[in-house]
Amino acid sequence: MTQLEIARAGKISPEMTAVAEFERLEAEEIRAGIAEGVICIPRNIHHDIPRPRGIGKGLSTKVNANIGTSGDFPNVEDELVKLRVAIEAGADAVMDLSTGGDLAAVRRTVIDNCTVPLGTVPIYETAVRAADGGSVVDMSEDDLFRVIERNATDGVDFLTVHCGITREAIARLQECGRVADVVSRGGAFLVCWMLANGKENPLYSRFDDLLDICRAHDVTLSLGDGFRPGCLADATDRAQIQELIILGELVDRARKAGVQSMVEGPGHVPMNQVITNIQIQKTLCKGAPFYVLGPLVTDVAPGYDHITSAIGGAIAAAAGVDFLCYVTPSEHLGLPGPDEVREGVIAARIAAHAGDIAKGVKGAMEWDREMSVARKKLDWEKQLELCIDPIKFKKFRSERATSAEEVCSMCGKYCAMKVVDEYLHKG
Amino acid sequence: MTQLEIARAGKISPEMTAVAEFERLEAEEIRAGIAEGVICIPRNIHHDIPRPRGIGKGLSTKVNANIGTSGDFPNVEDELVKLRVAIEAGADAVMDLSTGGDLAAVRRTVIDNCTVPLGTVPIYETAVRAADGGSVVDMSEDDLFRVIERNATDGVDFLTVHCGITREAIARLQECGRVADVVSRGGAFLVCWMLANGKENPLYSRFDDLLDICRAHDVTLSLGDGFRPGCLADATDRAQIQELIILGELVDRARKAGVQSMVEGPGHVPMNQVITNIQIQKTLCKGAPFYVLGPLVTDVAPGYDHITSAIGGAIAAAAGVDFLCYVTPSEHLGLPGPDEVREGVIAARIAAHAGDIAKGVKGAMEWDREMSVARKKLDWEKQLELCIDPIKFKKFRSERATSAEEVCSMCGKYCAMKVVDEYLHKG
């Protein structure tokens, strides 16, 4: 039985109990949220996850880190380093987006080393195999479903599948026109295949087959947004919202089939459209957990897209987004290395936490209060213990050391925290 | 005559014309905004600024970078490097917050090398001199006004003065209680002096003297928020708002005296209180230009406070803030070096620009559109030319080079931008 089926049967699984403990909530709240389809616990029955995580309504905002080989950097060992860095930095989930090397072998190696929920995008392996043999448009539907099945039996916890790219949606995309067309890699593969072969998207036409596979292994569907805007000018357009409507219909079907699902969202979005995007997803998809990439609030800052994403992600989290996909400083420029993975995870965690404070997630504000009490006391040991990234904390403290241990080198003996104490609290 | 007096006389100064050209607005719009007190052009009559900048309503959001020596790092040469880095990275203004070395000499050296508006905090020099001779609380009122006068005659364009810390405001601070008390360095010096000497704040009691000095040299007042919250738990409390009410009254007096003014704001603020903070400042201070530090939306991320500030700064800018003070990654840990200055300026510029897009500043969105057109064309030269930081752009492109020149190493030949083109636009 899937977590959704268990929840519907009124039972509480060990995973629900673990999630409730982590969130400091009652297990019954988690069960009710899963039964309603507004919370999911991505966990394949074949994958051992020591600390399962819940994603959805009323829970703390979670963070995903993408890793994966590319044609220019196909070495799986490099990806295992990034996997370790991502988990150490606090990623709640990881996606293997490999497109270089032996993809099935890379996936299995990553799963074996992944202690958090793992997601993949099966169309990548299907398309890369087809391209190696000739062209992406030579993919067969059976190839795609074989890869999906293998991902499920290998233990992948959630699958990104671009089921909402229908012929109808493509026609709307062509009609409305865009600056950046399709920027989702999986979306682009499907669009090419559909247009070249004159066929409907098999992830849509054979959605029931997909549900059968997911139910058998309790794989969570992550309904991908193949038409997410790739620049601010394309945001919240008819193509994007058309796909979202279709994804909403598929959420209904997944719920009926007992399959857990979440919905992916944009992308590049101007700040003044971010909240609108969250609200429209929540209505169209009946409160399904929402998983966003960014949103990036400007297009002009390659090298800093962890920051453009942290801005959009924080606003999105505050407005009800449940799951943030990190963006690294390398985005738009190259494949990230371990340093960029760390920066990306921390930036996304900052956004998630800032959003959690704003939306009143249980316990969120207490962390900041504890930190501030330690800061006021000039208790550097305690600050190190509480800060989001002890590695960075130690680096800055040691690089710019002060002659006075109790303060820092910015203000030295003129530290406001310190000077005001003597007078403000006496008498 | 000050810019405010010129504007009130219905005349358009060369500075107003320059600002209008930069903003792509009519000079008359700038003049009217200055006359009303909702726009300022910080420019001391003794300081040559090649490209004056306007700050306020309807203009693009500006960015300030703080530099300055400390007791542990008193070398002015280091600060000149940071000054150059800040201006190259696009800072619209710089503040010299030095507290180490010969402060008057440091200030004059910085002014001589500063091609953008320069701000200072005169209480620092006054307090440091007093502390060197004994204690901060030994400052004299005349010392303070002598330093202010010297700053004005030296050519400082805007002065941060914590005029709103009155005895009444301190009483309210003591009554409401705080986790982090006073975190403004200048505010802390004043509080100590006032409590130790049992006197009113001379920046308040002798505000007319301050206005006389500012009017004589067209120095813009930056009414400092000595009681800005230093942690989320203290945000938007009675002490902060009490001080803001007083600052609003002083804005009225400055306007009457023909002195340009802006108002400084927080600080550490939870995301869900940021917009409230902007709105309350705009009402209490009758639309005076608003200059915020951050706001930092969480306390737990030392080492990443350029990011916590970019989140709050972007939301603030979208809500009407006019001027963002950068925060560097070193904040709360040590004095920043040149690398941190660069990161801080770019993060604040990202926040400002994202906010400008959201609030519809003229020309803001066009930059993103141009960048996205270049990105879609895989035109890397044009992207380099348009991106916010070419140095970072080149670094990432060269470090993670791809075998195929036209794409990047993340997706290589599977670049979505590239693959979809062949099929989407044919027929």
Side-chain angles (χ1 to χ4, degrees):
Chain A
M1 279 169 89
T2 66
Q3 296 291 327
L4 178 50
E5 291 169 321
I6 296 168
R8 288 239 181 92
K11 290 182 191 141
I12 288 170
S13 67
E15 290 78 15
M16 295 176 208
T17 304
V19 166
E21 275 171 21
F22 177 79
E23 305 282 347
R24 289 174 268 192
L25 296 172
E26 296 300 316
E28 172 53 26
E29 296 176 77
I30 307 301
R31 189 207 62 76
I34 293 172
E36 203 192 331
V38 298
I39 292 176
C40 62
I41 301 180
R43 185 183 176 285
N44 187 307
I45 56 170
H46 311 295
H47 187 206
D48 182 38
I49 302 173
R51 290 170 306 167
R53 286 283 181 273
I55 297 168
K57 191 175 176 185
L59 312 186
S60 58
T61 307
K62 304 302 183 299
V63 165
N64 175 76
N66 292 334
I67 61 165
T69 58
S70 72
D72 287 311
F73 298 97
N75 187 354
V76 70
E77 295 305 321
D78 292 344
E79 301 314 306
L80 291 182
V81 171
K82 291 193 230 168
L83 176 66
R84 184 175 52 71
V85 166
I87 294 172
E88 279 177 9
D92 298 292
V94 169
M95 291 192 77
D96 170 20
L97 304 186
S98 292
T99 56
D102 177 345
L103 299 183
V106 168
R107 181 178 61 248
R108 280 189 290 268
T109 305
V110 170
I111 291 175
D112 287 346
N113 288 278
C114 186
T115 54
V116 297
L118 182 76
T120 59
V121 191
I123 193 82
Y124 291 176
E125 183 179 337
T126 319
V128 167
R129 278 170 192 261
D132 285 350
S135 164
V136 164
V137 302
D138 300 331
M139 289 186 285
S140 83
E141 298 192 14
D142 288 342
D143 287 346
L144 175 58
F145 278 86
R146 262 193 298 273
V147 171
I148 292 172
E149 176 92 40
R150 210 171 307 127
N151 273 260
T153 53
D154 279 351
V156 172
D157 302 291
F158 60 105
L159 292 179
T160 290
V161 273
H162 305 90
C163 307
I165 299 184
T166 61
R167 291 169 67 94
E168 176 193 15
I170 293 178
R172 289 242 151 75
L173 176 79
Q174 288 172 314
E175 192 279 329
C176 74
R178 276 189 161 184
V179 170
D181 291 334
V182 178
V183 299
S184 152
R185 199 160 51 173
F189 293 149
L190 277 167
V191 167
C192 293
W193 184 89
M194 289 166 68
L195 290 173
N197 295 285
K199 288 194 179 166
E200 186 50 281
N201 178 357
L203 295 169
Y204 180 78
S205 59
R206 293 176 58 182
F207 189 65
D208 287 333
D209 294 346
L210 188 57
L211 291 176
D212 287 342
I213 296 171
C214 290
R215 191 175 44 241
H217 310 277
D218 201 1
V219 174
T220 298
L221 278 178
S222 188
L223 295 165
D225 56 333
F227 289 170
R228 68 169 179 267
C231 66
L232 265 53
D234 294 342
T236 331
D237 71 353
R238 295 192 293 263
Q240 181 197 325
I241 303 303
Q242 179 63 71
E243 183 185 25
L244 188 60
I245 288 174
I246 296 165
L247 296 182
E249 293 169 348
L250 299 179
V251 165
D252 279 355
R253 288 172 62 185
R255 286 176 179 176
K256 271 184 206 135
V259 171
Q260 301 191 89
S261 63
M262 50 189 175
V263 174
E264 298 184 10
H268 292 239
V269 181
M271 273 179 69
N272 52 316
Q273 293 177 21
V274 172
I275 295 173
T276 304
N277 268 271
I278 314 313
Q279 289 177 339
I280 193 76
Q281 185 274 351
K282 289 284 178 184
T283 59
L284 296 179
C285 302
K286 299 186 181 172
F290 198 16
Y291 175 26
V292 297
L293 177 69
L296 289 72
V297 296
T298 172
D299 307 327
V300 303
Y304 297 86
D305 278 326
H306 59 313
I307 298 179
T308 68
S309 292
I311 295 169
I315 298 169
V321 153
D322 310 288
F323 194 21
L324 298 179
C325 186
Y326 86 167
V327 174
T328 79
S330 309
E331 187 76 19
H332 300 112
L333 298 171
L335 197 71
D339 288 348
E340 288 78 52
V341 166
R342 166 170 287 277
E343 293 284 314
V345 170
I346 300 289
R349 286 186 61 207
I350 288 169
H353 178 62
D356 284 350
I357 291 167
K359 66 183 167 187
V361 166
K362 200 166 178 183
M365 187 68 184
E366 281 63 34
W367 183 12
D368 292 67
R369 177 178 280 271
E370 264 193 276
M371 183 70 175
S372 301
V373 168
R375 185 171 279 154
K376 174 65 185 171
K377 284 185 187 160
L378 301 168
D379 181 344
W380 297 95
E381 282 304 312
K382 189 75 183 170
Q383 288 180 67
L384 175 63
E385 189 187 301
L386 285 168
C387 72
I388 201 164
D389 182 6
I391 294 173
K392 191 65 76 81
F393 187 98
K394 277 188 274 193
K395 177 174 172 287
F396 278 115
R397 279 285 286 173
S398 64
E399 273 176 7
R400 296 289 262 181
T402 168
S403 51
E405 275 298 310
E406 82 276 20
V407 291
C408 89
S409 60
M410 180 176 258
C411 305
K413 65 179 175 178
Y414 301 114
C415 172
M417 294 278 193
K418 186 173 140 79
V419 298
V420 86
D421 245 9
E422 188 187 343
Y423 295 96
L424 198 63
H425 295 294
K426 78 172 174 195
Chain B
M1 279 169 91
T2 66
Q3 296 290 327
L4 178 51
E5 290 169 322
I6 297 168
R8 287 239 182 92
K11 291 183 189 139
I12 287 171
S13 67
E15 289 77 15
M16 295 177 209
T17 304
V19 166
E21 275 170 22
F22 178 79
E23 304 282 347
R24 290 174 268 193
L25 296 172
E26 297 300 316
E28 171 53 26
E29 295 176 78
I30 307 300
R31 188 207 61 77
I34 293 173
E36 203 192 331
V38 297
I39 292 177
C40 62
I41 301 181
R43 185 183 176 284
N44 188 307
I45 56 171
H46 311 294
H47 187 205
D48 181 39
I49 302 174
R51 292 170 304 167
R53 286 285 180 273
I55 297 168
K57 191 175 176 184
L59 312 186
S60 58
T61 307
K62 304 302 183 299
V63 164
N64 176 75
N66 293 333
I67 61 165
T69 58
S70 73
D72 287 310
F73 299 96
N75 187 354
V76 70
E77 296 306 321
D78 293 344
E79 301 314 305
L80 291 182
V81 172
K82 291 192 231 168
L83 176 65
R84 185 175 51 72
V85 167
I87 294 173
E88 278 177 8
D92 298 291
V94 169
M95 291 191 77
D96 170 19
L97 305 186
S98 292
T99 56
D102 178 344
L103 298 184
V106 167
R107 180 178 60 248
R108 280 188 291 268
T109 306
V110 170
I111 290 175
D112 287 346
N113 288 278
C114 186
T115 55
V116 297
L118 182 75
T120 59
V121 191
I123 191 82
Y124 291 176
E125 182 179 337
T126 319
V128 167
R129 279 169 193 261
D132 285 350
S135 163
V136 164
V137 302
D138 300 331
M139 289 186 285
S140 83
E141 298 191 13
D142 288 342
D143 288 345
L144 175 58
F145 279 86
R146 261 193 298 270
V147 170
I148 291 172
E149 177 91 41
R150 212 172 304 127
N151 273 259
T153 53
D154 280 350
V156 172
D157 302 291
F158 59 105
L159 291 179
T160 291
V161 273
H162 303 91
C163 307
I165 298 184
T166 60
R167 291 170 66 94
E168 176 193 15
I170 293 178
R172 289 242 151 75
L173 176 79
Q174 289 172 314
E175 191 279 328
C176 74
R178 277 189 160 184
V179 170
D181 290 335
V182 178
V183 299
S184 152
R185 201 159 50 172
F189 293 149
L190 278 167
V191 167
C192 292
W193 184 90
M194 290 166 68
L195 291 173
N197 295 285
K199 288 193 179 166
E200 186 51 280
N201 178 357
L203 295 169
Y204 181 78
S205 59
R206 293 176 57 183
F207 189 66
D208 287 332
D209 295 345
L210 188 56
L211 291 176
D212 287 342
I213 296 171
C214 290
R215 190 176 44 241
H217 310 277
D218 201 1
V219 175
T220 298
L221 278 178
S222 187
L223 295 165
D225 56 333
F227 288 170
R228 68 170 179 267
C231 67
L232 265 54
D234 294 344
T236 331
D237 71 353
R238 296 192 293 265
Q240 181 197 326
I241 304 302
Q242 179 63 70
E243 183 185 26
L244 189 61
I245 288 173
I246 297 165
L247 295 183
E249 293 169 348
L250 299 178
V251 165
D252 279 355
R253 289 171 63 185
R255 287 176 178 176
K256 270 184 206 134
V259 170
Q260 301 192 88
S261 63
M262 50 189 174
V263 174
E264 298 184 11
H268 292 239
V269 181
M271 273 179 69
N272 52 317
Q273 292 176 23
V274 172
I275 295 173
T276 303
N277 268 271
I278 314 313
Q279 290 177 339
I280 193 76
Q281 186 274 351
K282 289 285 178 184
T283 59
L284 296 179
C285 302
K286 299 185 181 172
F290 197 16
Y291 174 26
V292 296
L293 177 70
L296 290 72
V297 296
T298 172
D299 307 327
V300 304
Y304 297 86
D305 279 326
H306 59 315
I307 298 180
T308 67
S309 292
I311 295 170
I315 299 169
V321 153
D322 309 290
F323 194 21
L324 298 178
C325 185
Y326 88 166
V327 175
T328 78
S330 308
E331 187 75 18
H332 299 113
L333 298 170
L335 198 71
D339 289 347
E340 289 78 52
V341 166
R342 166 169 287 278
E343 294 283 312
V345 170
I346 300 288
R349 286 186 62 209
I350 288 170
H353 177 62
D356 284 350
I357 292 167
K359 66 182 166 188
V361 166
K362 200 166 178 182
M365 187 69 184
E366 281 63 33
W367 183 13
D368 292 67
R369 177 178 280 271
E370 265 193 275
M371 183 70 175
S372 301
V373 168
R375 185 172 279 154
K376 173 65 184 171
K377 285 185 187 161
L378 300 168
D379 181 344
W380 297 95
E381 281 306 311
K382 189 75 183 170
Q383 288 180 66
L384 175 63
E385 189 186 300
L386 286 168
C387 72
I388 201 164
D389 182 6
I391 294 173
K392 191 65 77 83
F393 187 97
K394 278 188 272 194
K395 177 175 172 286
F396 278 117
R397 280 283 288 172
S398 63
E399 273 177 7
R400 295 290 259 181
T402 167
S403 51
E405 275 298 309
E406 83 275 19
V407 291
C408 91
S409 60
M410 181 176 257
C411 304
K413 65 179 175 178
Y414 302 113
C415 172
M417 294 278 194
K418 187 174 141 79
V419 299
V420 86
D421 246 9
E422 188 187 343
Y423 296 95
L424 197 63
H425 295 295
K426 78 171 173 196

